[in-house]
Amino acid sequence: MMVCMTELWPAPFSATPITHTVSVPGSKSLTNRAYVLSALAQGPSTIVGALRSRDTDLMEAALASMGVGFVTEGDEISVTPGSLHGAEVDCGLAGTVMRFLPAVAAFAAGEVRFDGDERARQRPIATILDALRDLGVQIQGGSLPFSVHGASRARGGTVEIDASGSSQFVSGLLLAAARFDEGVTITHTGGTLPSMPHIEMTLAMLADAGVAVESTGHTWRVAPQPIRGRTWVVEPDLSNATPFIAAAAVTGGCVAVKNWPAATTQPGDAIRTIVERMGCETVLEADAAGGHTLRVTGASRGTLGGIRLDMSDLGELTPTVAALAAVAKTPSELTGIAHLRGHETDRLKALTDEINRLGGDCEELADGLRIRPARLHGGQWHSYDDHRMATAGAIIGLVTEGVEVENIATTAKTLPGFESMWADMVEA
């Protein structure tokens, strides 16, 4: 596994319980889905509270290069659909860009060329490209870089895919399905389908945009129909909130996260149940403004319990939960996450290597991790240009002196300014 040696960030250590209140910016998953639906809609849309990060900036830039209009005023982004045309798309390391936009590019007049970071060229993409070919789209290449030869319209039809490598293959087709001449029927044929909450998020947003989807098991049918423009209000990114919740859990402190939604499709909401099972207390409190604040109180320092958990629907939380498990007093086993080998890095190998590098006891399983209690020590924690690997190192550094996280700046992928927010929390 390639390690990018850049500046080391001394992870702040806290000898006392953390007490802090934090607000996190908008959800990346919701923001990028809102961008795509707004670009394909029949009329203008407004996105309120969109996340501004590398992943979302890449999505906006890609759609703008294809002819979509964007105007930002304060917390609002006005989106005006246009006649899509050929363009160059930089995917960076964003799975949503590389997997959502090929279907959009089918409706461009001209060639849309896709490329991205070196690691992005290793991420699974052939499944959705082959599916689009079956739906009548002309595509050259089977991995980054590849080209979509748009014809302003596409036939559509029925397609079978194995989406066990990423739920984004299903979401990427669903988001554009209503624009195909014949609509699209998608059937997942694989044995497992990870991250179902993200598909449910896609379905909920399609419904909000007026798109009817018939779902039967692992088959989804979308007839040709208009996608309505609307106002999208983006919730805070709950996955980005999890490191701050983990700070309360590992230090025995209390962290409050403002504007936590009372109901949500975000998988990050599951962190509440996870930390409760590990010994923490959580309370969702209504505030005077009509919103809610999540308050998490950790167990006494050093008493955090381990957990056995099927994380097939919660893969993006794995680095946070693995960091919690690495400092827990009893063993943990996290399963159902073989698909994480195709994320920003091979997260199962990366977590195993980095936890063990600090004296931990982490074993890589066929579909997960087994983590046993061990006395950790300081040292370098490599991020592999993976934002969630970087935040996992920061969590462990709170209770392990001398941890240095390599390339903490990679957190800008979804949470720009993380290191300042983290320092503010520790110093508060």
Side-chain angles (χ1 to χ4, degrees):
M1 182 179 296
M2 182 178 179
V3 175
C4 178
M5 296 305 295
T6 56
E7 184 176 353
L8 297 175
W9 176 70
F13 173 81
S14 180
T16 58
I18 294 288
T19 301
H20 190 59
T21 298
V22 65
S23 297
V24 294
S27 161
K28 177 208 68 175
S29 297
L30 291 169
T31 297
N32 276 354
R33 283 166 173 78
Y35 270 140
V36 172
L37 289 171
S38 298
L40 293 173
Q42 284 192 332
S45 296
T46 300
I47 305 175
V48 180
L51 174 67
R52 303 313 308 234
S53 71
R54 188 187 184 212
D55 275 17
T56 57
D57 287 348
L58 286 167
M59 180 66 83
E60 181 179 312
L63 290 169
S65 71
M66 293 166 64
V68 180
F70 295 92
V71 176
T72 300
E73 294 185 7
D75 195 35
E76 296 187 358
I77 302 173
S78 299
V79 186
T80 304
S83 298
L84 302 180
H85 52 68
E88 302 273 352
V89 171
D90 177 9
C91 300
L93 194 49
T96 50
V97 177
M98 64 188 289
R99 294 171 182 147
F100 290 0
L101 292 190
V104 176
F107 302 98
E111 182 182 24
V112 182
R113 293 178 291 276
F114 291 78
D115 204 354
D117 294 356
E118 181 177 350
R119 169 60 186 171
R121 296 182 176 189
Q122 303 169 35
R123 298 191 70 179
I125 185 65
T127 297
I128 198 165
L129 300 183
D130 289 342
L132 288 170
R133 289 188 181 97
D134 290 343
L135 296 172
V137 182
Q138 185 180 355
I139 297 174
Q140 182 177 357
S143 61
L144 285 172
F146 63 86
S147 296
V148 177
H149 299 271
S152 299
R153 61 189 303 173
R155 183 191 72 243
T158 299
V159 67
E160 293 185 347
I161 65 171
D162 180 355
S164 55
S166 175
S167 67
Q168 290 175 351
F169 297 141
V170 175
S171 288
L173 293 173
L174 284 172
L175 288 167
R179 288 285 301 267
F180 284 79
D181 292 347
E182 300 176 9
V184 176
T185 297
I186 308 157
T187 298
H188 164 63
T189 60
T192 60
L193 184 55
S195 302
M196 269 300 297
H198 279 115
I199 295 177
E200 292 164 1
M201 176 187 293
T202 299
L203 295 172
M205 294 184 71
L206 283 165
D208 288 342
V211 176
V213 181
E214 296 180 19
S215 299
T216 306
H218 285 169
T219 295
W220 300 269
R221 298 177 181 87
V222 183
Q225 57 194 289
I227 300 172
R228 290 201 305 256
R230 69 185 306 275
T231 295
W232 299 98
V233 179
V234 179
E235 299 169 358
D237 193 311
L238 305 189
S239 294
N240 279 340
T242 64
F244 299 93
I245 291 170
V250 300
T251 67
C254 182
V255 169
V257 184
K258 299 176 68 175
N259 302 315
W260 196 278
T264 182
T265 56
Q266 291 189 64
D269 189 49
I271 194 65
R272 294 192 285 161
T273 302
I274 293 170
V275 295
E276 284 175 354
R277 287 180 56 188
M278 299 181 81
C280 303
E281 295 181 359
T282 71
V283 179
L284 190 61
E285 305 169 335
D287 57 39
H292 292 81
T293 295
L294 176 65
R295 194 173 306 278
V296 179
T297 303
S300 299
R301 193 183 186 104
T303 66
L304 194 68
I307 191 170
R308 293 177 62 90
L309 185 63
D310 178 349
M311 300 194 69
S312 54
D313 284 343
L314 311 171
E316 66 187 38
L317 303 189
T318 300
T320 293
V321 178
L324 292 171
V327 302
K329 65 175 183 177
T330 55
S332 295
E333 191 166 296
L334 314 178
T335 57
I337 45 178
H339 61 285
L340 296 190
R341 293 189 172 95
H343 276 223
E344 283 83 345
T345 189
D346 178 344
R347 284 182 175 166
L348 299 187
K349 176 170 173 50
L351 286 164
T352 300
D353 288 349
E354 298 312 307
I355 290 171
N356 291 343
R357 191 189 309 278
L358 300 185
D361 185 354
C362 182
E363 176 187 357
E364 185 176 347
L365 308 175
D367 72 336
L369 301 170
R370 182 178 293 122
I371 303 173
R372 305 175 185 87
R375 188 177 184 85
L376 302 183
H377 55 71
Q380 292 185 16
W381 176 277
H382 299 122
S383 71
Y384 308 91
D385 295 328
D386 183 334
H387 56 139
R388 303 212 188 280
M389 282 298 299
T391 56
I395 294 166
I396 291 175
L398 278 177
V399 290
T400 307
E401 290 190 87
V403 174
E404 295 181 307
V405 179
E406 171 259 337
N407 192 20
I408 192 66
T410 196
T411 53
K413 183 177 191 294
T414 57
L415 186 54
F418 166 80
E419 55 268 48
S420 297
M421 295 174 66
W422 199 253
D424 289 344
M425 176 187 70
V426 177
E427 294 167 4

